Each structure stands twice: as structure tokens, then as C-alpha cells.
Amino acid sequence: CDKDECSSMPCGTGQTCVDPVQTPSSLLDYTCTCANGVVATGSAAVCENDECVAAPCGTGQTCNDPNVAANSLHDFECTCDNDMSIKKVDGPATCDKDECASMPCGTGQTCVDPVQTPSSLLDYTCTCANGVVATGSAAVCENDECVAAPCGTGQTCNDPNVAANSLHDFECTCDNDMTIKKVDGPATCDKDECVAMPCGAGQTCNDPVQTVGSLLDYTCTCANGVSSVGASAVCENDECAGGAVCGMDQTCNDPNVAANSLHDFECICNADMMVKMVDGPATCVDDECATSPCGMTQTCTDLNTSPMSTGDFECECGNGVKATGMPAVCNMGTNDECMTMPCGTGQSCLDPDTTAMSLLDFVCSCVTGVGNNVGSPAACVDDECASSPCGSGQTCVDADTSVGSTGDFTCTCTSPKTGSAMGSAAVCALDECSAAPCGAGQTCDDPVKLPSSLLDYTCSCSNGAMAVGAPASCDVDECLPSPCGTGQTCSDPNTASNSLHDFECVCDNDMTLRAVDGPATCSKDECASMPCGMGQTCNDPSPTPSSLLDYTCTCGNGVVATGAAAVCDGDECANSPCGSGQTCSDPNTASNSLHDFVCTCDNDNSLTRVDGPATCDKDECASMPCGMGQTCNDPKKEFGSLHDFTCTCGNGVMTTGASAVCETDECAAMPCGTGQTCNDPNMATNSLHDFECVCDKDASLKAVDGPATCDKDECVSMPCGAGQTCTDPVQSLQSLTDFVCDCGNGVTAIGGAAVCEVDECLASPCGLGQSCSDPNIAANKLHDFVCTCPNDASLTAIDGPATCDKDECKYNPCGAGQTCQDPTLTLQSTHDFVCTCSNGVTATGAPASCEKDECEDEPCGKQQTCNDPNKAANVLHDFVCTCDNFPQLTAVDGPATCDKNECAGNPCGMDQQCNDPVQTLESLHDFTCTCANGVSAVNVAATCELNECDADPCGDGETCSDPDTSFVVQHNFVCRCKSDLTKTKVDGPVGNCPMPGETRQCAAMPCGPGQTCSASSDSSSSSDFVCSCDGSAITKLNGPANCAVPDGDECLLAPCDVGSQDCMDPNPSQSGDFVCTCRYGGNTETGASADCGSASSDSRSNSGSGSDSNTNSNSNSMDSDSTGSSPPTPNSCKSKPCGDEQTCSDYGEYFVCTCDDNENLRKKDGRAECSVGKDNECARSNLCGEKQSCEDKDEGGEENFVCSCWESDMKSTGSAVDNCRLGAGNNSDDDEDDDGGIPWWVWLLVALGATLLTCAMYAGY
């Protein structure tokens, strides 16, 4: 029945709680009392209120509340951080005084107050954008010098820098010519060039732009319209006046002698008035014999040299025979038609009948290519396929067989190989799928169809399974061997080998319980996940996946729930004890845990109360935070919304979160300066920049928000020019532009800079060739300049050009016998006098050269005669050179060609001798080119050598050698099989060369059907071969393998080294019992690959051809004498004696190093020499055969290589050693091969026996 509210400790720390009536019906009547006497009823008391928490002082001040009791308000104190003597109670102190706040500077100026305190005033600075600075007042930033109009009329003034400290930089530009300008004074703009009368008599002068900057643009115009710019015009020009423009025997006529009508004169032949030419001499004589139409041995006469007469020349032989319009036939007895070279380049000519009556019977034969023709050039054919450039196994077609068309033949591979190429042998493709290597129903694809890329084909099953280089395994049943475990059934819906992890396990006790790719879960105890609450007991009566949510949760008080946790206790918040705007939470809902619910204010989560409603509101105005006479308003009276109260002054000034500053007198900072009075009409804090400055001496001069301008001394800005004195009689704003500039020489100007001096000679008023002087350059002394002639100082003129005429012919500048004429007798026109010879030759400005004999300089050279028909100086390049040995050979304006050595141009090839038997122009194309080997050719370079191997005439797997590359010795190249150097053929490919690795034993097919025969990769004897079962890893050395094995044979997985070991599975139904047996050495290993080491290759018996029909193990005995076995020798390659980029092969008693980039280069017991030249014969192919090293000591020669045996001291030069066996001779009998002297017929019998044994075995099986 009792309820002591103080038991929940609702009061704050250090407060005393008293509940006068401790009953459930009397709640919230408890009191909380602070130690300082502050009391609150029904909630915790607010004991203290530190007014400084609200930061009422603002930035730069320190707040101190001497009494933080909640009932002691408005006693906080604000102290300035920059001056601790400045403080204020119950509001912010006035600490700073930024004089710039009143904007005392002018527009566009920057204000800086270095010390912002009330005790430091008028120390602010005003800085203009151009750098002008003033302290304590606004700065005067600009002074536009152009305001005083210093340039005068017709000019534009520009002051590039109007800063007050930048003077005398204004610029005056002429309006009529903007290129004429002057700095710090007026420019000189006008100049009429026609005043000096620069044009000749009777000409009109016009100056379109009369400025100093535009000179020599005046125009002189003749009465006939001829004009000239910048100089006197030449009105007339008779192009025929020279008299020598047309040449001898011609008349010149100029229809228009105006100077602007040129190149219209006409030259007319005196002998024929119809023959004429405009703007140059006419061709009055056309001698057809000049082109030598008669040939070198006949005399030519042109009966009529008029250009209008053609085809009338006459050819005359030495015997008097003549012909008109064509060469004469001088000798009716002979006429070699080949003398005219009718066949053309690259063909030889033969005339079988040289009589004059036998024509068009000459024969043209192709020198390059094939073809000939009678009576005209041959159509030469050059079939590139003739040299068999494609090699064996390819067909060749030459698309263009014309001479000079090379590289257009096409090589095409013959079936079954495919491929083609133009200009070279084709790279033939071999599709491995053509042999159908995949199993039934599988798809085959060969990505790289080249003979060098084998076993890269892929076999694909219809279900997607795939294998590379062998038939694919299409099916795999994942249910084997029982992946689901006991009590479950396995099923594999897709047994394709590429469809894995899709088997399904089904519970036998419940068919609905199943799983894919793993065992299913067939039982389920729901209590394992602890679904019940704390202190509750869980029980699952049926723990199976099909029976869910049947577990029970039991409380300690007996409460039970099925399929979920039980609710054992009550929640005190169910009756909403906190009220509106608060949230209730009960941390412990146990029935024995009451009065512990918590009420939390929604507007402030930090305001809470236990076992009752919390106090959530707070009116900030209750503490009277605003100043005297201000109104306080708290819009949100909540603890979560503090410092949002407003303080409003009577004049409307308002501040949020602090007391307002109601008034500010802007004049307190004395912004106007000395001699002015400041007035602030409205001192409200929100009314700034309205103060007014009034000049004390003139109340009409005032300014708002800044100092007024009370006076103006115009001379301060130095508006006058350099050296001038400035005086401002009335220094006020009402009296401007009254300042006076005084030059000192009596020249003055008002309101602008004076123009003190003007040198009239700067405008060049005297004209070309005259000197100018200005005796008085004062600006008020004009038109007194003097012009003086350069040729006569007594000739002068004032205020204009002097008259200075001159006749250049007066001093007889021309030579004796020449006449002189000066067309323009002025100083402006000098060196224009004309000197004229009696023959009409003229020269301007210098004496003329009347005559010139071009033969004086001997231009023709030795053994030639020179003749200059016209020695007038203006008729040049007409001298004639005539050969002394043949007068018919002539040339004009240069030496004649009198003889011709055709060998001078080096027409033959390198190392060929050239001979020209007759070195004349009549005998051309008769030179001979001769090679060192005697091969020669006429009129063309000889082909000395031809390496027939360059055309790659041999087949695949063959090498080519040409013992004699002389061009005359052909069809002697030799083709040799790379895999069998004994197989050769001259002038053609060998064909059917065994592939690398094949042996003669495999040629006899000893392995039988379904098996592949290959050389042993772990054998050093060329007689060893391996039989491999197709589609499995079963192999056999030197005999047929046993391919008939039951399913489950582990050897099908190739666990042993296929190249060096044989595999046997004694019990296919049992795993891990396969046996790997080394083919050489006898080592065996069960369940793993054997360690075969590197047993000596000579310790093997040759009896390895036998085999057991029931197993696939190798029963070879391992001793060379059939008396026992020898232990394997250490592996010499383990120490890496060959280094990088070489492969080491261990042969027991010795090792061999082979270059990785060229397997033909190898060496016994040492590093091979891999860096050899391109001419090294050993690098081209395997010339020496197995177990031999090749060395080429003379890389430049052929067949100079040396073959050395590895297992004996035998060597051979130019070919492989026939027999390297120890004790055997170099040249064996024909009935023995290179394998230890065993006759070939013994190997044939062995092969036949093996074949019969295989057939019998398969027949019995």
C-alpha cells in the first residue's frame, strides 16, 4: 500500500529527497533540495546555472560567473582578452574598435586597421588598387593627366596609368594617323608631300594621307595616265628605242609607247614581212639541217630556210647519191637493219640478210626472259615458275610473265596440305583432323594446321566434354563410389565428364529430404539453436526436418509455449506512465522487478527520470539574459533548444543568444579628419555608413560615409611638361583647369602642358638629297627652316625644298663613241642616264659594253673549233662548237659531243670488265661485259653467278647445296634429307624423307594395328623404337605393346614416364598396385614413377624385342654381354655443365650440350658454340647425323664442315661419318648399316618376324 517515491532516487546528485505522502495515490509530491537551498517539487532541482555556459560574451572575451546558484542571475562578467581592464557585467564588453568598419576609405580602396582598440584611432590606412596609400583618411588614387587636354585639337589623349604617383606618361595620338603619337606632349600630325613638288614637269601630284607617318605615298600622274607612287613617273617608254631588241635583219615596231604599255613591241623579218614575233625576236631562218636528219655520214642542205618551208632539206652521200626530205641510201649493196637498233632495250638484234633490198627480216631476241620476233621487237616472257621457286609438294603459277614483273608468282600446297603464298614458297597447313583421330560421335578441331604443330587438335563430345591430342572421355558417373553415405540413395542425372557436382542424395526415411553434390541432412533437433528465452527449458519431441516448430519452451514458473519462446514476466510501460512527449522503457520485465522503468524526453534524450515522468522544458528568458530596456523572447522553451532566445532594443536592433548592442555613433572614430565636422544622424547599430563629413571653411562641401574634398591644388599632380613651371592661382574645386604652364622661353599654356619647342626639320620637309636646319626651335618660331642642296651649298630655300636640278650626262659618263641621254634631270632621279653604242647596245647608269666575242674564253674545249657569228654584246649564247674530227657534229652555246665511250658510265656489274670496241656516236650499244668466270653479255651487265638454292627448290625436311654457283653451270644443286643424310638427289627434291625421329624399324611397321611407332626419347641408339597403344598410355620398347587390357587398368592414366618407363597393372580391380619399370637400368617402383637415373646406353642388350603376351612390362636384360646387369652411372648433367640457353643430355660416360635455339649445334663434354655466322654450314641442318658433332672452320666455303663421332675418334670432312661404332672403319660395306655393323637384311627379318608375331597374337585374342 505504501509508495516512497524517493526510493527510486529521482533527485540529482547531492540533493535531498523528501516524500511527505508515501502512497500510490499521491505521486510527484516529493521535493528535491539543493545544498544551496534551491528546491524543486516532483523532479530533480536545478541547483546551479552558470550563465557563462551560454557564451554570452562572444569571441575574444572571457566570461566569469561569480555565483552559479540558479537563483543568482545577471551577475556574470565579460572581460576583453586584448585589454583586461575593459569589462562589463551582464553583457559583452566593447573590446575592439575596427575603424575600417565605418568604411572611411573611398570606393575601390582597401582599408587596414593595424591596432583595433578604442585607444588607437586614425591609424588605419587606405590603399588604392594602384598602390597609392594614405593614413587616417581616404587616399587620392588617380590623376588622369588627359583631363587638362594637353594634346590639343585633332589629337586623342590617353593616360595609361592614372595613378596619382604616375605622371608625364600620357600619350597624344593623331586622329588622322594613329601610328603618329608622342608621350608627354602633343604629336606632329600633318605633312603634305606635294608641297615640295616631287613630280616631273606636266605631272599631277596627289598626297592621299598628309601625315608624317605616311611618307612617299604621294602619286605622280602623267597626262597619258601613267602614274608612279613615291617618285616622279616615267611617262613614255618606246621599247624599240634600244634598236637591238629584235636582232639583225628585223624591224622593231612599238604600237604604244606609254610607259605602262610594255611587252607589246613587234619584231618583223625583213626577208618575209609575214614572219613576226611579239615581245621578242622573230625566227626568220629555220634550217632543218640543224636537227641532223640525214645521219652522221651524209651532208644536209636546206634549200629554203624560211620557217614557212618544211621538208625541203636534201641529204647527199659521199658518192653523190641524194635524197630530199629523208636520208639517202648510199650503198645499194648492204643495209644492216640492226644499225638503227629497232629491237629496243634488253633485246639483241640479228639481220640475216644485209642487202638493201632485204628489209624487215631482222630478228629481235630477248636477253632477259624467253621470246623472239622477226621485223619488230619481241614480246619477252619471263616465267618465274621455271626455276621451281615453290619446292616439292606445291604448284606454281606466274600471273604476269612479262619481263620486269617479279615476285607475282603464286605457290599453292597440294592436298592434303593447304595454303598459298605470293612471291615465295607457301607455308603448308596439315589438318590433323583429316585422319579422324577422335572417337565415334566426337567432333575434331585442329586450331594450328601446320606440320610443326602436332597433337594440338581437340576432340569434343556432344555433351561438351573435351580432350587435346587424344579422344575425349565423354561419360563419368559421380555416384561411384557412393558419395551420399549410409541411409541415402544417389542418382546422377548427367554423366557427361564435364557435368560434375550435379549428383543428388535422397534420404531413405524421407524422400523429400535431399541434397545436390553432397549428402542430405536426414535429422533435425530444433532445440540445438536454443530458440527459448533465458531460464526456459526446451524440448523437441520429434527431431526430424519434416516435423518443425513442435518444440516447447517452459518457464521456471510453469508457463509453456510451443514453437516459440515463452513470456514469463510483465512490462511496467504497458500503462504509459510517462505521458505525452516522452518514451518509456522497462529494462527488466521480470514480475519481481518493478519501479525500474525509465521516462526519456523526446526533445532531449539526455533528460530522463526513473519510475516517473521527466521534466522536459526550459524557458531561457527566465534568467533575464538581455540588457536593460531590451525585450527577451524564447521561441522554443526546451532543454534541447538553448541559446535561441532573442534580445530586442527599443530601436529595433536585435541579437540572438546574447544581449544586443543598441546604439553606435560612427563619428566617435573621427572618420572625417582635420578641418571637417562629422555628424551621425542615426546612431542605431543597424544604421551604419550614414555619417556625413562637412568642410569647416565651406559648408557646401560635404561627403557621406567618408571625408569630403575641401580644396584642390592642380599643380600637385604635375600636369605641365618636364622643365616647365606650374602655377595654380585659385586652389579650389570650383576653379579647375586654371593652372598655368611656363616653358621659361616665354611660351606658356593655361590648363595644359605647354609645347615649348618644335624642330621643323623632324618632318623631313626638304625632300630627298637636301639637308634641313631650323635656326630657332621655339614653338612660337615656325616656318624658318632652311633647305640646302647637297651638290651646291649655295642653293637654299626657307620654309620649303630647294631646287637642285642635275644633268648626269654633263660629265660624259659614257665611253668613246657612245651617246648619253639623261631622261630626268633631278636629284631624285640619279643613275638613270642611258649610254648607247653605234650597234644599238645600250646600258643604264654605266658605260655600255658594245661588243663581246664569246669564243675568246675558249668555251668549246680541245679538238673543237669555235665561231661567234654575232659579236654584239646583246647577242650572246649563239657561238657554235664544231668537232675537228667530224665537222658535221656541232653544238650551239656549248661543246659538241664528238665521241662516246659507253664504258664511262660503268654499265656492267661489280667485278665485271667493260670493253667498248668502237667509241663513237655512230657505234652505240656495242660494249661488252665480261665476268671473271668468262660469262659475258653485249649491251647489258652479265649475270655471273646463280645460286640455285636461293629459290628453295628442295622439299620439306630437306637441305639444299649448290657446289658451283657459276651462271653457266646450272641444274647441279643437291637436295639432302635432314633426317637421313644418305638420301640425296641432284637438280630436284628427294621426296618422302622420314620425319625427324622416325627409324627404319618404324618403316617396317613392327607395332601392328592400333599402335604408333616412334623413336625412343630416352635412347641413344637409332635402332630403338617404342610402340604406343592408340588411345592409352600403354607402351613397349622394340616390340608390339599389349593394348588389350581390361577396364580399370591404372596404366591407362599414364602414371609412369612414357618416354623411359613401361607400366604394368597386375590387378586392375585393385588401385595403387601398378608397377613402373625403367627400360634401361631395370629399376622398378610400385604405385609411383620409378627413378631410372641415367644408366649407360651401351649397357643394354639388343634382345629387347621380346614381350609377354599377358603383360605390358619390358623383359629386356640390361648387361651388354648378357652376363649380368650394371648399376646406373651418376648423372653428369646435374652440375649444369652446359649453362643457360643450352640443354644437357647425359649418355653415361659422357654428356652432350645442345643449343636451345638451334639443335643442330651441339658438342660432347663441353658447352656448344651457339653464336655462329649465317654462313656456318653446321647451323643450317643436321649434316652429321646422330651421336656426331659438326664444326665449320671455314664459314665462307661449302662442304668444309667436319663431323666427329661422340663414341670414337672417327671424323669426316664434308659429310657424316658412315659408322661411328668403336673399331669400325669409316667406309662400311654396302650390306651393313650404321648400327654396329648389323646387315640390313637382319633388321628386315626382325621386322617381319615382329609383324607376324603381332598378327598371330591378335588373331588368337
Side-chain angles (χ1 to χ4, degrees):
C1 297
D2 295 332
K3 172 66 176 178
D4 184 0
E5 293 182 277
C6 289
S7 62
S8 63
M9 294 184 292
C11 300
T13 303
Q15 299 181 29
T16 302
C17 180
V18 177
D19 188 358
V21 183
Q22 300 179 0
T23 62
S25 59
S26 175
L27 297 177
L28 297 179
D29 60 342
Y30 66 91
T31 59
C32 295
T33 304
C34 300
N36 57 11
V38 177
V39 182
T41 301
S43 66
V46 179
C47 298
E48 296 183 353
N49 181 17
D50 187 351
E51 294 181 278
C52 290
V53 172
C57 297
T59 307
Q61 300 185 36
T62 301
C63 180
N64 178 37
D65 190 354
N67 190 348
V68 294
N71 53 2
S72 176
L73 301 175
H74 305 294
D75 60 346
F76 69 92
E77 188 177 54
C78 295
T79 304
C80 296
D81 295 339
N82 59 355
D83 190 346
M84 298 188 67
S85 64
I86 303 175
K87 55 185 66 180
K88 183 179 179 181
V89 177
D90 196 25
T94 303
C95 299
D96 297 331
K97 174 61 178 178
D98 186 356
E99 295 183 273
C100 291
S102 62
M103 295 186 289
C105 301
T107 304
Q109 300 182 27
T110 303
C111 181
V112 176
D113 189 357
V115 183
Q116 299 177 4
T117 63
S119 58
S120 177
L121 299 178
L122 294 179
D123 61 341
Y124 67 93
T125 58
C126 296
T127 305
C128 303
N130 56 16
V132 177
V133 182
T135 302
S137 65
V140 179
C141 297
E142 297 183 355
N143 180 18
D144 188 350
E145 294 183 273
C146 290
V147 172
C151 297
T153 306
Q155 300 186 35
T156 301
C157 180
N158 176 40
D159 190 351
N161 189 347
V162 295
N165 55 358
S166 176
L167 300 176
H168 304 293
D169 59 346
F170 70 92
E171 189 176 54
C172 296
T173 304
C174 296
D175 296 337
N176 59 358
D177 190 344
M178 297 187 68
T179 61
I180 301 176
K181 53 187 67 181
K182 183 179 179 182
V183 177
D184 198 26
T188 303
C189 299
D190 297 333
K191 172 66 177 178
D192 185 358
E193 293 183 274
C194 288
V195 172
M197 295 183 293
C199 301
Q203 300 183 26
T204 303
C205 181
N206 177 38
D207 190 356
V209 182
Q210 299 177 4
T211 64
V212 177
S214 176
L215 298 179
L216 295 179
D217 62 339
Y218 65 91
T219 305
C220 296
T221 305
C222 302
N224 59 7
V226 176
S227 63
S228 175
V229 178
S232 179
V234 179
C235 297
E236 295 187 357
N237 182 16
D238 185 355
E239 294 183 273
C240 292
V245 292
C246 292
M248 298 180 64
D249 300 324
Q250 299 185 34
T251 300
C252 180
N253 177 39
D254 190 355
N256 189 346
V257 295
N260 56 356
S261 176
L262 301 177
H263 305 292
D264 59 346
F265 70 93
E266 191 175 50
C267 293
I268 304 172
C269 295
N270 296 334
D272 188 349
M273 300 291 287
M274 299 298 295
V275 180
K276 59 183 67 178
M277 174 65 69
V278 177
D279 195 27
T283 303
C284 299
V285 176
D286 183 13
D287 188 355
E288 293 183 275
C289 290
T291 60
S292 302
C294 298
M296 305 302 294
T297 61
Q298 300 182 30
T299 302
C300 178
T301 303
D302 192 354
L303 304 179
N304 188 348
T305 59
S306 172
M308 311 298 292
S309 174
T310 59
D312 58 348
F313 66 92
E314 184 179 69
C315 296
E316 183 178 1
C317 302
N319 56 9
V321 178
K322 299 181 180 179
T324 302
M326 62 183 293
V329 179
C330 299
N331 188 351
M332 297 300 294
T334 60
N335 181 22
D336 189 351
E337 294 182 277
C338 290
M339 293 297 293
T340 60
M341 295 180 294
C343 296
T345 304
Q347 300 186 31
S348 61
C349 179
L350 175 65
D351 190 353
D353 187 354
T354 58
T355 62
M357 304 304 295
S358 175
L359 301 177
L360 298 179
D361 62 341
F362 62 90
V363 180
C364 295
S365 302
C366 298
V367 176
T368 302
V370 180
N372 54 59
N373 194 33
V374 178
S376 62
C380 298
V381 176
D382 185 10
D383 189 352
E384 294 183 274
C385 291
S387 62
S388 302
C390 299
S392 63
Q394 301 185 32
T395 59
C396 179
V397 176
D398 191 353
D400 187 355
T401 58
S402 61
V403 176
S405 174
T406 61
D408 57 349
F409 65 91
T410 303
C411 295
T412 305
C413 301
T414 57
S415 180
K417 298 179 181 179
T418 59
S420 63
M422 178 176 285
S424 63
V427 178
C428 297
L430 177 61
D431 190 351
E432 294 184 90
C433 291
S434 61
C438 302
Q442 298 184 26
T443 303
C444 180
D445 176 56
D446 190 357
V448 182
K449 300 177 178 63
L450 294 175
S452 60
S453 177
L454 299 178
L455 296 179
D456 61 339
Y457 66 90
T458 57
C459 295
S460 304
C461 304
S462 58
N463 56 17
M466 185 176 66
V468 178
S473 299
C474 297
D475 295 326
V476 173
D477 187 353
E478 293 185 273
C479 287
L480 297 176
S482 301
C484 297
T486 306
Q488 300 185 35
T489 301
C490 178
S491 63
D492 189 355
N494 189 347
T495 59
S497 60
N498 62 343
S499 176
L500 303 177
H501 307 292
D502 60 346
F503 68 91
E504 189 176 49
C505 296
V506 181
C507 296
D508 295 339
N509 60 352
D510 189 346
M511 299 287 288
T512 63
L513 301 177
R514 57 186 64 203
V516 178
D517 196 27
T521 302
C522 298
S523 61
K524 173 74 173 177
D525 185 358
E526 292 184 273
C527 287
S529 62
M530 296 185 291
C532 300
M534 294 293 293
Q536 299 182 29
T537 303
C538 179
N539 180 37
D540 188 358
S542 178
T544 62
S546 58
S547 176
L548 300 177
L549 296 179
D550 60 343
Y551 67 92
T552 58
C553 295
T554 304
C555 301
N557 55 11
V559 177
V560 181
T562 302
V567 180
C568 301
D569 297 325
D571 187 355
E572 289 185 277
C573 290
N575 297 325
S576 303
C578 295
S580 177
Q582 299 186 35
T583 301
C584 179
S585 62
D586 190 354
N588 192 343
T589 57
S591 57
N592 58 355
S593 177
L594 301 176
H595 305 293
D596 59 347
F597 69 93
V598 180
C599 294
T600 304
C601 295
D602 295 339
N603 58 0
D604 190 346
N605 291 332
S606 64
L607 302 177
T608 61
R609 183 183 176 187
V610 179
D611 197 26
T615 302
C616 299
D617 294 334
K618 169 70 176 178
D619 185 357
E620 292 184 274
C621 287
S623 62
M624 294 184 291
C626 300
M628 296 292 293
Q630 299 181 27
T631 303
C632 181
N633 178 39
D634 189 356
K636 293 183 179 180
K637 301 177 177 62
E638 302 172 355
F639 276 104
S641 176
L642 299 179
H643 309 300
D644 61 342
F645 67 91
T646 58
C647 295
T648 306
C649 302
N651 56 11
V653 176
M654 183 175 66
T655 303
T656 301
S659 179
V661 179
C662 297
E663 294 186 355
T664 297
D665 184 0
E666 293 185 273
C667 288
M670 293 184 289
C672 296
T674 306
Q676 299 186 37
T677 301
C678 179
N679 177 35
D680 189 352
N682 188 348
M683 293 187 290
T685 305
N686 57 356
S687 176
L688 300 177
H689 308 295
D690 59 347
F691 70 93
E692 189 177 53
C693 295
V694 181
C695 294
D696 294 340
K697 64 180 179 180
D698 189 348
S700 65
L701 301 176
K702 58 184 69 180
V704 177
D705 195 28
T709 303
C710 298
D711 52 23
K712 173 70 173 179
D713 182 358
E714 293 182 275
C715 288
V716 172
S717 62
M718 293 184 289
C720 300
Q724 300 181 29
T725 302
C726 179
T727 303
D728 189 357
V730 182
Q731 298 178 5
S732 67
L733 289 174
Q734 290 81 3
S735 177
L736 297 178
T737 65
D738 61 342
F739 64 93
V740 179
C741 295
D742 190 347
C743 294
N745 57 4
V747 179
T748 61
I750 299 175
V755 179
C756 299
E757 296 181 353
V758 174
D759 186 353
E760 294 182 276
C761 288
L762 294 177
S764 303
C766 296
L768 297 173
Q770 299 186 30
S771 61
C772 177
S773 62
D774 190 353
N776 193 341
I777 58 175
N780 54 1
K781 295 291 184 179
L782 300 177
H783 305 293
D784 61 346
F785 66 93
V786 179
C787 296
T788 304
C789 293
N791 59 341
D792 191 346
S794 63
L795 300 177
T796 62
I798 299 175
D799 195 26
T803 302
C804 306
D805 292 339
K806 179 174 182 180
D807 184 357
E808 292 184 276
C809 290
K810 180 179 179 180
Y811 302 103
N812 297 321
C814 301
Q818 301 183 29
T819 58
C820 178
Q821 181 185 4
D822 189 354
T824 306
L825 304 173
T826 63
L827 282 175
Q828 290 83 357
S829 177
T830 58
H831 302 293
D832 62 342
F833 64 92
V834 179
C835 296
T836 305
C837 302
S838 58
N839 59 6
V841 176
T842 62
T844 301
S849 298
C850 298
E851 293 189 358
K852 172 65 177 178
D853 185 354
E854 294 184 273
C855 290
E856 291 178 352
D857 298 330
E858 298 182 358
C860 296
K862 295 180 179 181
Q863 297 180 356
Q864 297 188 35
T865 302
C866 177
N867 179 38
D868 189 355
N870 191 342
K871 298 180 177 59
N874 57 353
V875 180
L876 300 177
H877 306 294
D878 61 342
F879 68 91
V880 179
C881 294
T882 304
C883 295
D884 295 340
N885 60 348
F886 204 79
Q888 290 85 353
L889 299 179
T890 62
V892 178
D893 195 26
T897 303
C898 299
D899 51 25
K900 175 70 174 178
N901 183 1
E902 293 185 271
C903 289
N906 296 323
C908 301
M910 293 289 293
D911 300 326
Q912 297 185 31
Q913 182 176 359
C914 180
N915 179 36
D916 188 359
V918 183
Q919 299 178 7
T920 64
L921 288 174
E922 293 84 3
S923 176
L924 297 178
H925 310 292
D926 60 342
F927 68 92
T928 303
C929 295
T930 305
C931 302
N933 55 13
V935 178
S936 63
V938 178
N939 194 31
V940 70
T943 303
C944 299
E945 294 189 358
L946 176 65
N947 190 336
E948 295 182 274
C949 290
D950 292 340
D952 194 14
C954 300
D956 294 337
E958 301 178 16
T959 60
C960 178
S961 61
D962 190 351
D964 190 346
T965 57
S966 174
F967 183 76
V968 296
V969 181
Q970 298 187 25
H971 305 291
N972 66 328
F973 67 92
V974 179
C975 295
R976 177 183 284 106
C977 292
K978 295 180 180 179
S979 57
D980 189 350
L981 300 179
T982 62
K983 292 185 177 182
T984 60
K985 184 178 180 180
V986 178
D987 195 26
V990 179
N992 299 322
C993 288
M995 295 296 290
E998 289 184 353
T999 64
R1000 283 171 292 181
Q1001 285 72 19
C1002 288
M1005 296 183 294
C1007 297
Q1011 299 185 34
T1012 301
C1013 179
S1014 62
S1016 175
S1017 62
D1018 194 45
S1019 172
S1020 60
S1021 174
S1022 61
S1023 64
D1024 289 336
F1025 62 93
V1026 177
C1027 293
S1028 304
C1029 297
D1030 296 341
S1032 72
I1034 300 176
T1035 60
K1036 182 69 174 180
L1037 178 67
N1038 296 335
N1042 185 9
C1043 300
V1045 294
D1047 293 339
D1049 191 339
E1050 291 182 278
C1051 289
L1052 293 174
L1053 302 178
C1056 305
D1057 184 3
V1058 177
S1060 62
Q1061 302 178 31
D1062 292 320
C1063 179
M1064 180 185 68
D1065 190 356
N1067 188 358
S1069 62
Q1070 193 173 13
S1071 62
D1073 62 342
F1074 65 89
V1075 179
C1076 295
T1077 303
C1078 297
R1079 296 190 183 124
Y1080 315 117
N1083 290 352
T1084 62
E1085 186 72 28
T1086 301
S1089 180
D1091 182 8
C1092 296
S1094 57
S1096 172
S1097 59
D1098 292 335
S1099 64
R1100 298 192 315 274
S1101 170
N1102 290 325
S1103 61
S1105 61
S1107 64
D1108 189 346
S1109 61
N1110 296 322
T1111 67
N1112 62 345
S1113 62
N1114 190 353
S1115 60
N1116 300 340
S1117 63
M1118 301 308 298
D1119 63 301
S1120 58
D1121 299 328
S1122 302
T1123 59
S1125 62
S1126 301
T1129 60
N1131 192 338
S1132 302
C1133 290
K1134 289 185 178 180
S1135 62
K1136 298 182 178 180
C1138 298
D1140 297 333
E1141 300 180 355
Q1142 297 191 31
T1143 301
C1144 180
S1145 303
D1146 186 25
Y1147 289 88
E1149 296 179 357
Y1150 61 90
F1151 65 90
V1152 175
C1153 295
T1154 305
C1155 298
D1156 293 342
D1157 57 355
N1158 191 337
E1159 62 182 5
N1160 300 318
L1161 301 175
R1162 52 194 179 182
K1163 183 178 181 182
K1164 172 186 174 184
D1165 289 337
R1167 289 175 55 84
E1169 179 61 34
C1170 300
S1171 300
V1172 296
K1174 63 179 181 179
D1175 295 328
N1176 191 297
E1177 293 183 278
C1178 296
R1180 299 178 189 174
S1181 61
N1182 186 7
L1183 301 176
C1184 295
E1186 295 184 357
K1187 289 193 176 183
Q1188 298 184 37
S1189 297
C1190 180
E1191 183 180 8
D1192 187 0
K1193 296 184 178 180
D1194 182 11
E1195 294 188 356
E1198 292 287 343
E1199 307 291 343
N1200 292 328
F1201 62 93
V1202 177
C1203 296
S1204 302
C1205 296
W1206 294 347
E1207 297 179 353
S1208 69
D1209 296 332
M1210 300 182 67
K1211 297 183 179 180
S1212 176
T1213 301
S1215 63
V1217 179
D1218 291 342
N1219 195 329
C1220 282
R1221 293 296 186 184
L1222 294 176
N1226 188 32
N1227 297 316
S1228 61
D1229 296 335
D1230 293 337
D1231 61 346
E1232 296 185 61
D1233 61 8
D1234 57 354
D1235 292 315
I1238 302 176
W1240 64 268
W1241 52 268
V1242 175
W1243 287 110
L1244 179 60
L1245 291 177
V1246 172
L1248 291 175
T1251 302
L1252 293 175
L1253 178 62
T1254 302
C1255 293
M1257 181 177 60
Y1258 275 92
Y1261 184 81

